[in-house]
């Protein structure tokens, strides 16, 4: 006899309390294996696939694509030990009402210990069992009624041809609004289609639409096969119009909500201060050009600043620390896990390069490139977005010289890098045109005073102006 088990949205770690369903990977009636990914969700930190700890037949799914669920809410139910899917309900998306719910399902801890179940519900962690091939099981028709054919799953946009789209969110947005990605010209690098491209196409489509609404079809006229029937619970709209004309309300959730919460906490808890200095980066730029001309892996400018930062933190360890409010202690950290601010279609993210102090310039360049690409694709894991001890913020890419950033809580400092531009500069007693950059350090005044912060920033500036200074500390 089949046992129906309920699988709930697991704790995804790092304090995450909710997730949004991006794409279902299984349908009602599908047979799933232990630890097979069943749904793709977007958290405030990353896009992840959630594996189901049970093996059996999917009998129900809870939530449409675009629905936001709290941790602990039901995701789906699985009939374990079922030989046929006759036990499955006919609704593909039943409402989670108490009256319609199956008998209370045992928790994973009390589930039978067999090959059809696993106690693992953490994302990315499984038993190592071989993944079974998905198959669709046809449901036997009920007596006295015709069996309705299962609706075909909607293919991904651009399945008929190559489409320059990386982000699953962009694909979903296009799918929800009926935008054919193959007809769009991407504004991103190498023709990459970005969210703004899809939103522009949606706006143009709304403007060009006929003002007169079509007359309602007769009750006996069947809908064309190419028209998708809207689901009873559509995905929530991210931006909703306000009662006041021209005003739009955007919910603070997902990445934007997580950023808002973290920055607000930083402002509440950290008494920050900022100091800055202009530096002549001509020699640093020349050194990078010479390194890249020698062959081998290319060295990024951000990697050189990272090497300078780790050397500066070795001289001023106070800035590689955090504050334990409960114990009223400053906790100085031995490793440098270097975060760097990256702007993506999903918003601002801060990937972390682990053990940056032990990496070469080549290794740092490769890791920065890998994490940046993962951030643009929305595939960064929660572990790659947490645990930083110091942050680099290269706001010069936005064409600005200076900034007073908010510290990435619970870190103690952040180095800001402005744009590098030709400016008049007194060099060796004469006025010359040099490549000048403004550097800023925002620091937690609880962990050190201005003398330490100034010493750190001055050392960074000296290494920028004379890269040979860095060689003396290696």
């Amino acid at each position: 006899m089949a046992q129906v088990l309920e699988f709930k949205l697991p704790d995804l770690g790092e304090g995450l309390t909710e997730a949004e369903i991006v794409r279902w990977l299984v349908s009602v009636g599908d047979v799933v294996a232990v630890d097979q990914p069943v749904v793709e969700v977007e958290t405030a930190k990353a896009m992840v696939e959630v594996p189901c700890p049970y093996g059996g037949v999917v009998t129900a799914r809870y939530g449409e694509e675009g629905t936001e669920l709290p941790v602990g809410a039901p995701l789906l139910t699985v009939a374990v030990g079922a030989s046929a899917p006759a036990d499955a309900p006919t609704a593909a998306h039943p409402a989670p009402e108490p009256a319609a719910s199956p008998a209370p399902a045992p928790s994973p801890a009390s589930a039978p210990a067999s090959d059809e179940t696993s106690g693992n519900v953490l994302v990315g962690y499984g038993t190592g069992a071989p993944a079974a091939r998905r198959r669709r099981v046809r449901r036997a028709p009920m007596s006295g009624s015709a069996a309705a054919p299962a609706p075909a799953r909607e293919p991904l946009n651009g399945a008929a041809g190559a489409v320059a789209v990386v982000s699953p969110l962009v694909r979903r947005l296009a799918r929800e609004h009926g935008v054919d990605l193959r007809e769009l010209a991407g504004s991103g690098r190498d023709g990459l289609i970005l969210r703004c491209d899809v939103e522009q196409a949606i706006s143009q489509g709304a403007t060009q639409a006929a003002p007169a609404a079509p007359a309602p079809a007769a009750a006996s006229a069947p809908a064309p096969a190419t028209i998708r029937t809207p689901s009873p619970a559509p995905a929530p709209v991210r931006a909703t119009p306000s009662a006041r004309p021209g005003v739009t309300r955007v919910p603070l959730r997902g990445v934007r909500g997580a950023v808002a919460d973290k920055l607000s906490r930083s402002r509440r808890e950290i008494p920050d201060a900022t100091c800055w200095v202009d530096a002549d980066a001509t020699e640093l730029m020349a050194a990078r050009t010479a390194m890249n001309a020698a062959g081998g892996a290319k060295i990024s400018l951000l990697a050189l600043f990272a090497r300078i930062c780790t050397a500066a933190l070795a001289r001023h360890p106070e800035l590689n620390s955090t504050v334990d409010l409960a114990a009223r202690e400053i906790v100085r950290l031995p490793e440098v896990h270097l975060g760097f601010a990256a702007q993506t279609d999903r918003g601002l993210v801060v990937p972390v390069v682990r053990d940056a102090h032990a990496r070469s310039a080549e290794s740092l360049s490769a890791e920065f490139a890998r994490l940046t690409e993962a951030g643009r694709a929305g595939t960064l894991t929660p572990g790659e977005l947490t645990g930083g001890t110091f942050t680099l913020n290269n706001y010069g890419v936005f064409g600005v010289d200076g900034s007073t950033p908010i510290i990435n809580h619970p870190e103690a400092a952040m180095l800001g890098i402005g744009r590098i531009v030709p400016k008049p500069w007194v060099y060796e007693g004469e006025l010359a045109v040099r490549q000048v950059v403004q550097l800023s350090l925002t620091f937690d005044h609880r962990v050190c005073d201005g003398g330490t912060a100034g010493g750190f920033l001055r050392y960074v500036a000296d290494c920028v102006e004379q890269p040979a200074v860095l060689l003396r500390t290696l």
Side-chain angles (χ1 to χ4, degrees), residues 69-472:
L69 297 177
V71 169
L75 270 179
L76 50 79
T77 54
V78 178
V80 176
S83 58
D87 301 324
T90 58
H93 301 280
E97 297 178 0
S101 300
S107 63
S110 61
S114 69
D115 294 339
E116 297 173 324
T117 182
S118 154
N120 304 320
V121 294
L122 296 179
V123 174
Y125 181 80
T127 60
R133 183 178 179 181
R134 275 186 57 197
R135 59 186 177 91
R136 180 71 179 175
V137 183
R138 297 189 179 277
R139 187 176 289 110
M142 298 177 63
S143 59
S145 63
R153 296 193 68 186
E154 179 187 7
L156 287 176
N157 251 319
V163 180
V165 178
V166 173
S167 172
L169 297 180
V170 174
R171 290 188 181 274
R172 187 189 68 182
L173 182 64
R175 183 172 65 247
E176 290 176 350
H177 294 272
V179 176
D180 189 348
L181 292 174
R182 292 168 293 183
E183 298 179 358
L184 297 186
S187 61
R189 186 178 60 184
D190 299 327
L192 185 70
I193 298 176
L194 306 178
R195 176 180 291 182
C196 61
D197 300 323
V198 177
E199 291 174 344
Q200 183 179 5
I202 295 171
S203 176
Q204 291 176 350
T207 304
Q208 298 171 2
S220 60
T226 57
I227 302 298
R228 293 183 62 205
T229 304
S231 59
V237 181
R238 291 187 178 275
T240 57
S242 175
R244 179 182 172 188
V247 176
T248 301
R249 293 180 176 270
V250 180
L252 270 177
R253 69 181 195 188
V255 173
R256 187 73 261 163
V259 170
D261 293 341
K262 195 162 191 177
L263 296 182
S264 297
R265 182 180 181 183
S266 181
R267 275 289 190 230
R268 287 194 306 269
E269 295 185 7
I270 299 178
D272 58 352
T274 301
C275 55
W276 56 90
V277 66
D278 290 341
D280 180 1
T282 306
E283 297 300 327
L284 181 67
M285 300 294 286
R288 175 175 177 257
T289 301
M291 294 169 69
N292 289 336
K298 298 298 182 182
I299 306 300
S300 68
L301 189 61
L302 190 61
L304 293 182
F305 274 102
R307 290 291 291 114
I308 294 172
C309 265
T310 56
L313 288 172
R315 297 168 66 96
H316 302 279
E318 300 92 334
L319 295 169
N320 193 59
S321 62
T322 187
V323 175
D324 186 340
L325 289 177
R328 293 186 60 83
E329 295 175 343
I330 298 172
V331 183
R332 294 182 182 173
L333 306 169
E335 301 88 8
V336 178
H337 300 318
L338 195 64
F340 65 100
Q343 194 70 38
T344 70
D345 289 343
R346 301 175 63 241
L348 179 67
V349 295
V350 184
V352 177
V353 177
R354 303 286 168 182
D355 298 315
H357 62 289
R359 292 178 179 264
S360 65
E362 291 87 351
S363 174
L364 287 167
S365 294
E367 189 67 356
F368 281 135
R370 183 188 73 81
L371 293 172
T372 299
E373 188 60 33
R376 290 171 179 165
T379 58
L380 287 168
T381 65
E384 291 172 330
L385 288 164
T386 54
T389 63
F390 188 93
T391 295
L392 273 177
N393 187 2
N394 183 18
Y395 44 76
V397 297
F398 302 117
V400 297
D401 297 323
S403 173
T404 55
I406 300 176
I407 295 174
N408 188 25
H409 186 279
E411 298 170 14
M414 177 185 294
L415 179 70
I417 308 167
R419 60 176 180 163
I420 301 177
V421 292
K423 287 184 179 181
W425 189 267
V426 176
Y427 177 69
E428 295 183 349
E430 296 183 358
L431 187 63
V433 176
R434 305 287 285 181
Q435 299 291 324
V436 179
V437 61
Q438 184 178 100
L439 306 171
S440 64
L441 177 70
T442 299
F443 63 99
D444 186 339
H445 224 313
R446 297 173 299 179
V447 304
C448 68
D449 296 324
T452 300
F456 174 94
L457 190 58
R458 187 62 257 170
Y459 177 80
V460 171
D462 290 344
C463 290
V464 169
E465 294 183 343
Q466 303 177 45
V469 173
L470 180 62
L471 297 176
R472 292 199 295 265

